[in-house]
Amino acid sequence: MTTHQRTLRIATRGRGTQEITDAVNAVLRDSGVTTGLCHVFVQHTSCSLTITENADPDVRRDLETVMSRLAPDGDPAYRHDLEGPDDMAAHVRAVLTDTSLTVPVGDARLRLGTWQGIYLWEHRMQGATRSVVVTVMG
């Protein structure tokens, strides 16, 4: 079995999704793995990863709308607000989504569906540099 790992540094633009499929594919290509698994993990507690539609950006905007209803900024019930009104909301959003994803690899490519992409979902209002660990095994 071959294992290949790389940490990607992704600069986000603030709250919202940013497609990282191409960056993950680059790690897969470098690994030489043709069949196996690709695991993606974000090393932070205020952003997350998701696989969602990559064709219509309205899907991602609507997901953001739903998330703002589930975890609103500045809720007076939050006790943790050291870094501002979006601090605890960002943590809740990350818990409600995923910090890691596993995608099958076949024929030396990610076996994503036709309209699927891998996204880093920034939950803070300000941009940040995020570390994403990609591990390919096969």
Side-chain angles (χ1 to χ4, degrees):
M1 176 175 345
T2 300
T3 303
H4 179 80
Q5 187 175 81
R6 182 183 312 154
T7 300
L8 305 172
R9 305 274 186 246
I10 309 291
T12 68
R13 299 174 296 275
R15 183 170 284 166
T17 55
Q18 185 168 332
E19 189 167 11
I20 62 169
T21 310
D22 288 345
V24 174
N25 266 320
V27 176
L28 173 57
R29 275 192 304 277
D30 290 348
S31 76
V33 169
T34 58
T35 304
L37 296 171
C38 180
H39 184 262
V40 186
F41 174 76
V42 64
Q43 296 180 302
H44 303 277
T45 61
S46 56
C47 64
S48 59
L49 298 166
T50 190
I51 294 176
T52 193
E53 182 170 331
N54 62 3
D56 184 354
D58 283 341
V59 170
R60 293 182 307 280
R61 280 191 286 273
D62 289 345
L63 287 170
E64 190 62 50
T65 297
V66 169
M67 196 59 78
S68 70
R69 291 177 183 159
L70 294 174
D73 292 335
D75 187 317
Y78 297 154
R79 296 170 78 181
H80 178 78
D81 62 359
L82 295 174
E83 296 177 27
D86 67 337
D87 194 3
M88 189 60 216
H91 293 298
V92 171
R93 291 166 181 229
V95 166
L96 292 174
T97 52
D98 290 312
T99 56
S100 68
L101 304 168
T102 302
V103 179
V105 173
D107 300 322
R109 64 182 186 86
L110 296 171
R111 300 299 294 196
L112 293 167
T114 302
W115 306 113
Q116 290 182 319
I118 301 171
Y119 290 85
L120 174 62
W121 194 349
E122 178 62 64
H123 300 303
R124 297 302 306 265
M125 294 303 289
Q126 292 250 352
T129 300
R130 303 302 194 166
S131 298
V132 178
V133 179
V134 180
T135 305
V136 183
M137 299 160 283

